[in-house]
Amino acid sequence: MEVDKKQKMSVPGFADIEDEENQNLPKPNKSSKKSGGFQSFGLTHNVLKGVLKRGYKVPTPIQRKTIPLVLEGRDVVAMARTGSGKTACFLIPMLEKLKQRIAKTGARALILTPTRELALQTLKFIKDLGKFMDLQAAVILGGDSMDEQFAAIHGNPDIIVATPGRFLHVCIEMDLKLTSISYVVFDEADRLFEMGLEEQLSEIASKLPDSRQTVLFSATLPKVLVEFAKAGLSDPVLIRLDVETKIPKELELFYINVRHEERLASLLVLLKSLIDLEQQTIIFAATKHHVEYIHMVLEKVGIPNSYIYSNLDPSARKIHTAKFAAGKVKVLVVTDVAARGIDIPMLDNVINYNFPMKPKLFVHRVGRCARAGRSGKAYSLVGPDEYAHLLDLHLFLGTTVSLCTLQNKEGNLGIIPQHLLEDQQSYLINLHETYSDLVNSRKVSENGYQQYLRTRPVASTESNKKVKYIPFRSCTIHPLFRSSGESIEEERQEIIDKMKHYRPHGTIFEIVGKTKSEEYKTMKTKRALHKDKIVEHHVKKEEKLSELKISGQKHTNTLADSSQNDIDEAFHDVVLPKKRKIEDLYKKNVKKPKRDENYIPYSSSDKHTEDGLAVNKFQNEAMDAQLDIVGDSSEMMRMSKQMKKWDRKKKRMVGVESKTAGKIRTESGAWIPKTYKSDRYSQWKEKTKADENNDYEDEEDGNQSFNKGPSAGLRTHWARHNEKVKQKQRKSELKTTDEILKARKIAAKNKRNNMRRGKKGKRKSRK
């Protein structure tokens, strides 16, 4: 009854973290080992030993709230920012529930992740936390050998870590029933839906038993995910912690205004002037061509680095990630394939070489550092074509743009001193003149960037309107590059900025022309005629700038109530953090008129948050949808004819069904039918004799006997002897290199003997 009361008190909200920690402090009568940490969860000895061995001492807020509910058997949807320890939230209860290995029943836990890197990382966590437990885990990833995955599943592992595409493919090939699975985890669930894996997830969920326990973890909570939780989870508990702080407080954000042709030079200035090369740094680029180009340039400059992108070979990706994680190289150049789920504990810096296209992508990029209470820095290079996306980010975070100007020198968006850029730019020109491969790689990256711009989502209409009123060209030197030793350079830059931003009050006719000339009189008359409009324009411009102006504060985030009706319908129990008073950053000097209670605004208060969290937008899908009755080109008319065929029974043209109807897209991008089964699995069973060896089990160690040999399950001596004789008589389909060489030697020897016999026979016939 006491546990239920505590749970009911924690459903609407929970007290301050300090109060909770004070409750967990050791009492005088008890030892200090059983207070405040993971000992209070009542874990078994082996699980607790593995947790402490891993280095966990005090649970994070999300772990405090999630682990007890999962141990009770409740379905949980947990939402917290990146780096808050979500992985341990589902692994520790999973190990506590499985306890020990049971080889006969098959897999009992399933963990689905969006990327192979995150799956391998989760497998490593399982091995570390379950170090003192007799549990077996298998990983099912796209790009690996399916034969090895068939063998791994035949070994009846307790835990399966998989990506949805390949796991569904293996399930269809092997006709797996998945009836033994009692614990399912959807890790980074919002990313799974963003990757277009909704069909695969629904198909896998339909194969799972209804009595399963489902745990869903995500950094954000889009509406698609709420609908999935309503359909696939039974009475789930929603836990929303730290959602108002989309970015950790320990993370410092810096924005640098650059021109497109000076972007690479700006990156070298950051790596050489600001960032300590002994610290670990991740550089995010737009395309794989940019990754290869940056990698080649950094190698020529003398900065050791590794790189990752989607089309890279899986083994190479694993090697490059391991080199960076082990500290052999300090710089890692990646695309957005590594923006989610990769946990590098000692990461210090993140550089956005190309500004991300979506605010949520920015959050997960910079979320790779400043994890678990550590500090970190994020540098973003922003070009003229990315200003609107920068405003989208600030609308999503609830902040405003802060420019470094002559009046406000403490902003967070500034430029790099010109002399630093010129030094690196001249160095890059010499490099490209020396190495021709750099020139070719630069051309490929520029072509790739043009294609990237065509597919990049357009920023919001509101941001595109505001960009026109923000004086990005008035940016001065960023505070990062100001120092006492460069006062002369700062004064020089200020003079250049004043010259650059100087605008004369009169036109060339008024300044150069004589006062009695006709041109001078005409311009004066025209100026007097439009004087009111000119003043109105300047006042309007000042008002727009005052709305966007900021006083140099650190980013203070706001959280609006997002889709509350949907959440109330899906979740009866919601665990929320303590409510905090957040200042309104968009408060205008002019008092807003009070609205009537029946007033309906044009846009909802959570518009920007929902746009940032959205997976599929109706507006974008509706724009792509069209109905062509008659093609407007010869190609379209030909395509419309090809989409129909003559039906002999109906005596008319009928439409051809879509090629993707009744099919599921695998992780490799191929479309396979839901009932598709090739001969691949049957060939593997025939080759390994898995059916014969899978019927019996060795009683000594509990492992299946197909790993012990063909005669392991036969009871009598003569039965085993006869089976061995039969196996010797069978010709093996696979031969080793020694057997092949031996067979060739015997064949060559027989051929020589036959030739000798033939020659002797001819000689005898002549005689």
Side-chain angles (χ1 to χ4, degrees):
M1 294 296 291
E2 293 180 359
V3 176
D4 295 337
K5 290 180 181 179
K6 289 180 181 179
Q7 184 181 348
K8 289 181 181 178
M9 292 296 292
S10 63
V11 165
F14 61 94
D16 290 336
I17 296 174
E18 297 178 357
D19 298 338
E20 193 172 349
E21 289 179 352
N22 292 335
Q23 293 176 4
N24 291 330
L25 287 175
K27 296 180 181 180
N29 297 333
K30 295 184 179 181
S31 62
S32 60
K33 290 185 179 180
K34 295 185 178 180
S35 58
F38 288 92
Q39 295 88 346
S40 59
F41 294 142
L43 304 174
T44 56
H45 176 70
N46 291 335
V47 178
L48 184 60
K49 189 176 179 182
V51 170
L52 298 178
K53 189 74 175 179
R54 182 68 174 79
Y56 293 143
K57 295 181 180 179
V58 179
T60 60
I62 187 68
Q63 291 171 354
R64 279 198 193 98
K65 292 296 175 183
T66 305
I67 292 178
L69 291 174
V70 179
L71 289 175
E72 290 177 10
R74 299 289 300 275
D75 286 1
V76 174
V77 177
M79 178 184 175
R81 60 177 173 84
T82 57
S84 57
K86 295 192 295 291
T87 307
C89 289
F90 61 82
L91 288 185
I92 292 175
M94 180 190 69
L95 297 175
E96 180 67 24
K97 287 176 176 295
L98 299 183
K99 294 187 183 299
Q100 62 183 2
R101 175 164 172 73
I102 304 176
K104 290 183 178 180
T105 57
R108 292 175 289 159
L110 173 64
I111 302 173
L112 297 175
T113 61
T115 60
R116 62 179 296 113
E117 285 80 14
L118 183 57
L120 293 173
Q121 177 184 302
T122 305
L123 182 67
K124 184 177 181 299
F125 266 95
I126 293 172
K127 291 180 179 179
D128 292 342
L129 294 176
K131 188 176 182 180
F132 304 100
M133 304 186 69
D134 185 22
L135 293 174
Q136 183 178 344
V139 63
I140 308 297
L141 302 176
D144 294 347
S145 172
M146 289 194 73
D147 291 351
E148 295 179 359
Q149 293 171 358
F150 293 152
I153 293 178
H154 266 262
N156 281 337
D158 300 285
I159 307 164
I160 295 178
V161 185
T163 50
R166 174 52 68 89
F167 182 69
L168 180 60
H169 197 172
V170 171
C171 289
I172 294 174
E173 290 281 356
M174 301 182 67
D175 195 18
L176 294 179
K177 302 301 182 183
L178 305 181
T179 55
S180 60
I181 292 179
S182 59
Y183 188 85
V184 183
V185 178
F186 295 94
D187 194 12
E188 299 287 356
D190 51 350
R191 180 61 176 161
L192 289 171
F193 284 95
E194 285 178 1
M195 295 173 66
L197 300 174
E198 185 174 358
E199 293 183 358
Q200 287 87 334
L201 294 175
S202 301
E203 186 69 16
I204 292 172
S206 64
K207 293 177 175 289
L208 297 172
D210 296 335
S211 59
R212 69 183 184 275
Q213 181 184 2
T214 306
V215 181
L216 193 146
F217 281 85
S218 174
T220 58
L221 192 64
K223 293 181 180 179
V224 178
L225 205 148
V226 175
E227 294 174 359
F228 180 79
K230 286 165 61 177
L233 280 68
S234 61
D235 191 20
V237 180
L238 175 63
I239 300 176
R240 301 186 70 172
L241 304 185
D242 299 332
V243 288
E244 64 196 30
T245 55
K246 301 180 180 72
I247 293 178
K249 296 179 181 179
E250 297 81 8
L251 179 63
E252 298 182 63
L253 300 179
F254 305 102
Y255 306 97
I256 299 171
N257 194 0
V258 298
R259 291 186 293 179
H260 180 68
E261 58 272 12
E262 294 177 346
R263 195 179 291 266
L264 186 58
S266 303
L267 176 64
L268 294 182
V269 171
L270 289 177
L271 292 175
K272 291 184 176 182
S273 302
L274 284 182
I275 298 174
D276 185 5
L277 291 180
E278 294 299 322
Q279 297 179 347
Q280 286 190 315
T281 305
I282 286 185
I283 302 172
F284 285 97
T287 66
K288 68 173 185 178
H289 309 294
H290 287 81
V291 170
E292 293 175 346
Y293 178 51
I294 295 171
H295 167 69
M296 293 173 64
V297 171
L298 294 182
E299 288 291 332
K300 297 290 191 296
V301 170
I303 301 176
N305 63 95
S306 58
Y307 59 97
I308 300 174
Y309 53 84
S310 59
N311 291 346
L312 194 65
D313 184 71
S315 58
R317 286 167 64 177
K318 187 176 180 181
I319 292 170
H320 291 180
T321 307
K323 286 171 63 178
F324 181 71
K328 293 184 179 179
V329 294
K330 298 297 183 179
V331 178
L332 179 66
V333 189
V334 298
T335 55
D336 289 319
V337 72
R340 296 290 297 266
I342 304 300
D343 184 18
I344 299 171
M346 304 303 292
L347 184 62
D348 301 289
N349 307 290
V350 170
I351 299 177
N352 289 313
Y353 182 79
N354 297 103
F355 199 77
M357 61 184 75
K358 293 182 180 180
K360 189 167 61 170
L361 187 58
F362 177 89
V363 172
H364 291 292
R365 278 187 181 184
V366 301
R368 299 308 98 208
C369 64
R371 299 171 74 88
R374 297 185 73 255
S375 60
K377 296 179 180 179
Y379 306 89
S380 300
L381 305 181
V382 186
D385 60 333
E386 298 167 336
Y387 291 156
H389 292 86
L390 177 65
L391 291 183
D392 273 350
L393 172 66
H394 283 81
L395 287 172
F396 177 71
L397 297 178
T399 60
T400 51
V401 180
S402 175
L403 302 180
C404 297
T405 59
L406 296 174
Q407 295 78 21
N408 178 27
K409 295 185 178 181
E410 298 300 325
N412 59 359
L413 175 62
I415 62 174
I416 299 175
Q418 194 61 32
H419 70 284
L420 295 177
L421 281 176
E422 290 174 355
D423 292 343
Q424 298 302 326
Q425 194 71 18
S426 60
Y427 183 53
L428 286 173
I429 291 172
N430 294 332
L431 276 179
H432 286 76
E433 290 176 352
T434 306
Y435 302 99
S436 60
D437 55 343
L438 287 180
V439 179
N440 298 330
S441 182
R442 181 177 61 185
K443 290 181 180 178
V444 173
S445 65
E446 289 176 354
N447 295 335
Y449 189 70
Q450 295 300 322
Q451 187 66 25
Y452 166 75
L453 291 179
R454 293 173 189 167
T455 58
R456 184 177 65 178
V458 182
S460 64
T461 307
E462 186 176 353
S463 297
N464 283 315
K465 288 180 180 179
K466 289 185 177 181
V467 163
K468 301 175 184 178
Y469 299 98
I470 300 178
F472 286 103
R473 294 183 180 179
S474 63
C475 290
T476 58
I477 298 177
H478 201 284
L480 291 170
F481 299 96
R482 291 200 183 103
S483 60
S484 58
E486 295 186 356
S487 57
I488 300 175
E489 196 62 39
E490 290 180 11
E491 293 177 2
R492 173 177 170 270
Q493 187 68 35
E494 287 184 4
I495 294 172
I496 293 174
D497 290 339
K498 289 179 180 179
M499 294 172 60
K500 186 169 60 175
H501 302 127
Y502 173 72
R503 293 293 181 271
H505 295 287
T507 62
I508 189 171
F509 300 104
E510 299 170 77
I511 296 173
V512 180
K514 296 180 180 180
T515 55
K516 294 183 179 181
S517 63
E518 187 177 350
E519 294 87 354
Y520 181 82
K521 293 179 180 179
T522 303
M523 289 304 302
K524 283 294 182 182
T525 306
K526 190 72 173 174
R527 187 177 295 278
L529 180 64
H530 297 289
K531 183 178 180 180
D532 296 337
K533 293 184 178 180
I534 293 172
V535 173
E536 184 182 353
H537 170 74
H538 286 291
V539 171
K540 187 177 180 181
K541 189 175 181 181
E542 290 296 329
E543 290 178 356
K544 289 288 184 181
L545 288 176
S546 63
E547 292 178 10
L548 302 170
K549 198 172 181 181
I550 190 171
S551 60
Q553 297 177 350
K554 298 292 182 182
H555 30 269
T556 307
N557 301 324
T558 59
L559 176 66
D561 296 333
S562 59
S563 60
Q564 193 63 37
N565 294 332
D566 295 337
I567 293 176
D568 292 340
E569 292 177 3
F571 307 100
H572 297 291
D573 299 332
V574 181
V575 179
L576 295 172
K578 181 184 177 182
K579 294 182 180 179
R580 299 181 177 89
K581 294 182 180 179
I582 302 171
E583 297 179 357
D584 187 10
L585 297 178
Y586 291 99
K587 190 178 293 182
K588 297 183 180 180
N589 296 330
V590 182
K591 293 184 178 180
K592 295 182 180 180
K594 293 184 178 179
R595 300 293 185 183
D596 186 75
E597 60 179 1
N598 298 322
Y599 172 75
I600 301 176
Y602 179 75
S603 59
S604 60
S605 59
D606 62 341
K607 175 181 180 298
H608 303 297
T609 303
E610 283 297 333
D611 289 345
L613 300 179
V615 177
N616 298 321
K617 293 184 180 179
F618 173 75
Q619 292 87 347
N620 297 341
E621 294 180 354
M623 289 175 64
D624 296 336
Q626 61 181 358
L627 176 62
D628 293 331
I629 300 175
V630 179
D632 58 353
S633 63
S634 59
E635 183 179 356
M636 291 295 298
M637 294 176 69
R638 189 179 69 253
M639 288 295 296
S640 62
K641 290 180 180 179
Q642 290 177 355
M643 294 177 67
K644 291 186 177 182
K645 66 177 182 179
W646 180 259
D647 192 343
R648 293 182 178 179
K649 294 182 179 180
K650 296 182 180 180
K651 303 295 182 181
R652 59 186 176 88
M653 298 292 290
V654 296
V656 181
E657 291 185 1
S658 174
K659 294 182 179 180
T660 60
K663 295 184 179 181
I664 298 173
R665 193 174 186 178
T666 61
E667 192 176 69
S668 62
W671 290 88
I672 61 171
K674 292 183 179 180
T675 57
Y676 176 80
K677 285 181 67 176
S678 66
D679 294 333
R680 195 165 184 176
Y681 178 57
S682 59
Q683 291 173 2
W684 176 82
K685 287 196 298 183
E686 181 66 25
K687 182 172 63 179
T688 58
K689 307 301 178 189
D691 281 340
E692 298 178 8
N693 304 325
N694 201 23
D695 295 335
Y696 36 76
E697 181 182 356
D698 192 2
E699 298 178 357
E700 295 180 359
D701 55 4
N703 292 328
Q704 289 188 353
S705 59
F706 68 91
N707 296 325
K708 299 295 182 180
S711 59
L714 302 179
R715 298 182 178 180
T716 62
H717 167 72
W718 286 109
R720 290 193 291 269
H721 173 73
N722 295 334
E723 187 64 27
K724 289 180 181 178
V725 172
K726 291 179 181 178
Q727 288 292 332
K728 289 180 181 179
Q729 292 175 354
R730 295 175 183 171
K731 294 182 179 180
S732 177
E733 296 178 0
L734 296 177
K735 296 182 180 180
T736 62
T737 54
D738 296 335
E739 292 175 347
I740 293 172
L741 291 174
K742 185 176 180 181
R744 288 178 180 175
K745 289 179 181 179
I746 293 173
K749 184 178 179 181
N750 294 336
K751 187 176 181 180
R752 289 195 299 270
N753 293 337
N754 292 334
M755 291 176 66
R756 290 174 185 173
R757 292 172 184 170
K759 290 179 181 180
K760 290 180 180 179
K762 289 180 181 179
R763 291 173 186 173
K764 291 180 180 179
S765 62
R766 289 175 184 175
K767 292 179 180 180

